[in-house]
């Protein structure tokens, strides 16, 4: 399993501890201000993505000096920076997994654009490879199937979140169970919990997010 | 126009300045830890909602002594605390508008449950009366129609966010326009801007969120 990390430009206050402490291993891509933040942590990203129009001339110079592969999303293709990063990471570089940091906190229009990226037909198949990580949440995505997931040691709550119409949602062994529930529109089944160290669930159609979180 | 404020239990770091400064006028409802935070600010809410199981015995005593009207959501009705608060505010007390604070930051399963409340059939008609306010975002909701909205002085960005399939989305005079766009699934059209002091838009079906935000 090879994995790549992506840092987008959300507030550093939302970062998980291990990122603030510089303890996230692996290669990086930076988006916009995320690139500058990586450089400041002594990390040179493989690729920098963005128009960098929020950076000063000095900051832009730093980015251009340090990073050899700089790219811009094509607005005409209705593509966001994060989407281009997903394409580069999972399609071009063919990493198995992409962990996205810096996507929460601050502007909610950005968060929702990032969260819903997996609903777009051209990214849908990549959903299971994408993970969002912040201080209190880990978001993963699932296509129809039967799954057993592991509890993260530092998280308490478990949420099942149909991002669209989902049929046959079954929560087998969680604190609150469901039996072939047909969910007609997005719902966040929040505040569920693992009973043991794993949780089993299945569904027949649609796209499901799972969030493990703590207070 | 009468309005009621609702404080739910998200982290205080997400509160807008005017709330931290105690300068939000009007009556209040508190949900769970939100109730305790209101009392600490010298505000006695009309109603306190929640099971308060995250409060200490002392804190619970404070709430019970101060607030005469305490209620609990009915999990069997698949009702969340915030949903009960919306029912009390807009249906029972018939306020014209409900401003919700404390719903962002921290746990994303809670945020999404709150954001999507308006998609539930029994809350859908209340959508235009509900507003979420935090440090960097104001979220409002619209049912199909033709609208002109005003720019908030401290906000820079404007986002149009179909929460479900939306037909005929037209952005008339914003920085980026759309002409009768049919949106098949949730999308966050982020980082748009007002050109002047108002913005005109319309759509024919579905439910639309609009977010004004700043960096």
């Amino acid at each position: 399993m090879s994995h790549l990390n992506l840092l987008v430009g959300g507030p550093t206050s939302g970062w998980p501890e291990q990122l603030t402490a510089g303890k996230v291993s692996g290669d990086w891509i930076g988006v916009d201000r995320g690139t500058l933040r990586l450089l400041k942590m002594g990390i040179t990203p493989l690729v920098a993505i963005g128009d960098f129009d929020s950076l000063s001339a000095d900051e832009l110079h730093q980015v251009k000096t340090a990073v050899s592969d700089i790219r811009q999303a094509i607005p005409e293709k209705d593509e966001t920076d994060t989407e281009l990063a997903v394409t580069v990471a999972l399609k071009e570089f063919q990493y198995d997994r992409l962990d996205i940091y810096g996507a929460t906190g601050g502007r909610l229009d950005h968060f929702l654009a990032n969260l819903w990226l997996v609903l777009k037909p051209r990214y849908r198949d990549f959903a299971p490879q994408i993970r969002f990580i912040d201080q209190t949440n880990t978001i993963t995505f699932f296509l129809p199937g039967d799954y057993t997931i592991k509890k993260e040691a530092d998280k308490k709550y478990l949420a099942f979140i149909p991002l669209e119409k989902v049929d046959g949602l079954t929560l087998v062994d969680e604190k609150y169970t469901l039996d072939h529930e047909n969910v007609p529109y997005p719902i966040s089944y929040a505040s569920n919990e693992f009973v043991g160290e794993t949780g089993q669930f299945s569904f027949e159609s649609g796209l499901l997010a799972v969030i493990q979180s703590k207070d």
Side-chain angles (χ1 to χ4, degrees), chain A residues 95-193:
Chain A
Y95 281 83
D96 296 318
R97 212 182 69 211
L98 181 67
D99 287 344
I100 305 180
Y101 297 88
T104 63
R107 284 175 53 191
L108 293 166
D109 58 338
H110 277 167
F111 167 64
L112 291 171
N114 286 325
L115 177 73
W116 286 336
L117 179 155
V118 293
L119 291 176
K120 294 198 177 179
R122 66 178 184 273
Y123 295 102
R124 210 174 168 91
D125 289 344
F126 293 124
Q129 296 171 258
I130 296 172
R131 194 158 70 153
F132 289 94
I133 300 173
D134 77 4
Q135 207 164 40
T136 42
N137 307 274
T138 304
I139 310 179
T140 49
F141 301 96
F142 295 86
L143 297 171
D146 194 328
Y147 301 95
T148 300
I149 54 170
K150 275 181 70 175
K151 182 182 181 303
E152 295 182 21
D154 68 328
K155 303 293 196 303
K156 177 172 181 189
Y157 303 103
L158 174 64
F160 295 90
I161 303 175
L163 293 177
E164 60 183 5
K165 181 180 188 307
V166 157
D167 284 333
L169 180 59
T170 300
L171 309 182
V172 178
D173 53 5
E174 287 76 10
K175 183 172 174 186
Y176 306 105
T177 58
L178 283 177
D179 182 17
H180 291 87
E181 185 82 8
N182 295 327
V183 186
Y185 43 80
I187 285 184
S188 170
Y189 291 108
S191 303
N192 206 339
E193 295 179 34

Side-chain angles (χ1 to χ4, degrees), chain A residues 19-76:
Chain A
L19 177 58
T20 310
K23 286 183 180 157
V24 177
S25 64
D27 293 326
W28 287 86
I29 290 180
V31 163
D32 259 325
R33 185 157 295 275
T35 302
L36 197 72
R37 289 184 178 143
L38 286 173
L39 293 176
K40 280 185 178 155
M41 290 193 289
I43 295 166
T44 304
L46 299 180
V47 182
I49 291 172
D51 57 11
F52 302 100
D53 60 2
S54 71
L55 267 54
S56 69
D58 245 29
E59 291 171 335
L60 185 58
H61 181 73
Q62 271 183 64
V63 169
K64 286 192 170 169
T65 309
V67 187
S68 53
D69 190 347
I70 296 181
R71 309 192 194 188
Q72 258 188 281
I74 303 167
E76 287 72 31

